[in-house]
Amino acid sequence: MRNVERLSSVKSELLDIFMSMEVVEHEERSRTAAQRNLRARRGIELHEEFKRLSQDIADLPGDDADEMH
């Protein structure tokens, strides 16, 4: 009987360890995904900012030689 109790205890401990590992892996995947999404969002924001700046610069009066004459 004692071996059965011990076996049950070991199984329980192994299950707890496995579940803890799963939780850690899930948290790490979530953190990695959040970082990847943040980088992607920042990249999109930078792209849009450069497009706006390019458009703003294009809208400025130019230094054409014809304007001086």
Side-chain angles (χ1 to χ4, degrees), residues 48-65:
E48 293 297 321
E49 186 176 340
F50 280 119
K51 278 176 43 177
R52 277 192 311 274
L53 287 172
S54 294
Q55 185 62 44
D56 290 346
I57 290 171
D59 291 343
L60 292 175
D63 291 337
D64 294 341

Side-chain angles (χ1 to χ4, degrees), residues 18-69:
F18 176 75
M19 294 303 288
S20 294
M21 290 171 55
E22 287 291 312
V23 167
V24 169
E25 288 175 7
H26 176 73
E27 289 172 348
E28 187 171 328
R29 281 193 303 271
S30 295
R31 190 171 32 256
T32 300
Q35 290 172 342
R36 194 171 47 246
N37 289 338
L38 181 62
R39 282 193 307 267
R41 186 172 64 233
R42 185 60 186 138
I44 292 167
E45 290 170 353
L46 283 172
H47 176 72
E48 293 297 321
E49 186 176 340
F50 280 119
K51 278 176 43 177
R52 277 192 311 274
L53 287 172
S54 294
Q55 185 62 44
D56 290 346
I57 290 171
D59 291 343
L60 292 175
D63 291 337
D64 294 341
D66 293 337
E67 290 180 10
M68 296 183 121
H69 295 291

